Each structure stands twice: as structure tokens, then as C-alpha cells.
Amino acid sequence: MRSSLAHLAPLPRAFFNRDPRIVGRELLGKVLVRREGRATLAGRIVELEAYLGSEDPAAHASIGKTARNAVLFGPSGYAYVYFIYGNHYCLNVSCLPDGKGSLLFRALEPVAGLERMAANRQLEPWQERLISSGPGRLAEAMGITRQHDNGKDLVDARSDLRIIDDGFVPEIVVESVRVGITKATDLPLRYSIAGNPFVSRKP
């Protein structure tokens, strides 16, 4: 799997330069790839949440540009990483410029580097379901931190964190409400692959 992923180019920036509600559905099934030393870690994207900028009170960009969220006000296709609850990181990708939208990665299905991902989570490989099901878990499994990855270009082939397309297309995409937030909780902006066992919460 590592060799098959190595030759695939990242998604183009234009893919992300669209409404996050469109990008979210189409990003499902793509693969997030991390190069960690000589190892390749990869997970299929199976769950995402869209955030709609200034018109969305749950979005970090809704308060305007700050030092913390500045990545969201730049070009599309960049990693926005924040620390939450004092114990884990969350990975997002910017969509559209000027803070108009982003996507939170909520769950991955491991496809390469399972043993390293499990070790990063202090788990055993047979505990696969717990490795990257949830935004904090997937960030830890992939070694993602704000210090190392915030502002990273996810469409640069030279980046050690990028998103590729290996041809997989989900049969059914499920839309449901977002979870873990207190504002705009009724919006159907969570996208997941139907029936995938690695989704963090059933719709």
C-alpha cells in the first residue's frame, strides 16, 4: 500500500476552493497521508463536518480573523489545527478564502501504517476501531499537532501531510447534524460513509 500511495499526486487546490458542503461530500473516501520519517501513515476519510464561516456561529471564523484562526482566511487547501479541551488536537482544511468555510476531519479508516498509528495512540493494532475514530484520536494517530502542522499545505506534493485520491468512491453518503458543539446544532453538516465502522458516531 505504501508504494501505491507514494506515486499519487495530492488533490488540486481548486478541489477545496468551493462551498465546504460540496467539498465535504466529495472528500469522503479520499486518503489523508502522513510521511513520518521513513514510514507512511494513511487513513481513508470516512467522516467530516462542514463549517460555513461568518454565517455559522459554530465556526471558528465567525468571530473574524485572529492569530489562532488566521489560516482560515488564506487560500484553500491548508491545514488548520487547534487544541481543544486541553488534551487533543483537531485537524481542519480550509475551503474558500477569507474565512468562508472549512471542514473538520472526524474519522479515518486506517489503510497504511496501522502499527505506527496504533503505537502513536498507545494501542495494539487489533484495536483498530479505536485508532482514528474521532477528531482527537485521528490527529494523535497521524502525529498531527498545531506546532508542527498548522498552516501546512495539504495540496503540496512535497508536504509530509497531504490528501490524495486513490479512486475509491463511497456508495452512499449520509448527511446528519454536527456533534460536540453547542451552537447551530440543527444543521445537517456532518458527512459520513454509510455503514463504515470507523465513523465516530452513528448518524
Side-chain angles (χ1 to χ4, degrees):
M1 175 63 75
R2 177 181 173 181
S3 60
S4 65
L5 294 174
H7 74 279
L8 296 175
L11 293 172
R13 197 170 312 282
F15 179 93
F16 297 98
N17 196 30
R18 299 178 295 163
D19 189 314
R21 289 166 290 194
I22 297 173
V23 179
R25 294 179 63 90
E26 296 185 10
L27 194 55
L28 288 174
K30 305 299 188 287
V31 181
L32 179 68
V33 179
R34 156 72 93 194
R35 194 168 59 247
E36 192 175 84
R38 299 182 64 180
T40 296
L41 315 182
R44 192 172 307 285
I45 301 165
V46 299
E47 183 185 0
L48 298 150
E49 284 180 347
Y51 289 86
L52 308 179
S54 60
E55 60 186 81
D56 181 355
H60 283 197
S62 65
I63 61 173
K65 186 177 180 179
T66 68
R68 182 194 189 202
N69 68 19
V71 172
L72 299 176
F73 290 81
S76 60
Y78 281 80
Y80 168 52
V81 183
Y82 60 86
F83 195 55
I84 192 170
Y85 303 138
N87 62 4
H88 67 253
Y89 295 97
C90 293
L91 172 66
N92 303 255
V93 61
S94 58
C95 300
L96 299 175
D98 304 321
K100 293 179 181 177
S102 61
L103 289 161
L104 168 67
F105 293 78
R106 282 201 56 87
L108 302 175
E109 176 180 350
V111 296
L114 176 61
E115 291 188 0
R116 178 68 70 89
M117 292 171 72
N120 286 347
R121 290 267 298 119
Q122 298 183 333
L123 297 171
E124 296 297 329
W126 61 265
Q127 296 175 291
E128 191 175 9
R129 171 65 179 78
L130 301 177
I131 291 174
S132 52
S133 177
R137 290 174 175 178
L138 76 84
E140 187 175 25
M142 301 290 276
I144 293 168
T145 67
R146 179 172 174 84
Q147 294 82 357
H148 183 60
D149 298 300
N150 188 56
K152 191 157 287 182
D153 190 350
L154 300 180
V155 306
D156 185 344
R158 299 165 297 179
S159 175
D160 65 352
L161 187 66
R162 59 194 188 279
I163 303 173
I164 64 169
D165 182 359
D166 68 348
F168 178 88
V169 178
E171 290 186 8
I172 302 175
V173 171
V174 179
E175 295 183 4
S176 56
V177 296
R178 296 177 294 190
V179 295
I181 58 174
T182 58
K183 299 177 181 178
T185 57
D186 59 334
L187 300 178
L189 296 176
R190 181 161 64 113
Y191 309 103
S192 58
I193 296 178
N196 188 281
F198 294 91
V199 170
S200 65
R201 299 192 195 180
K202 292 183 179 180

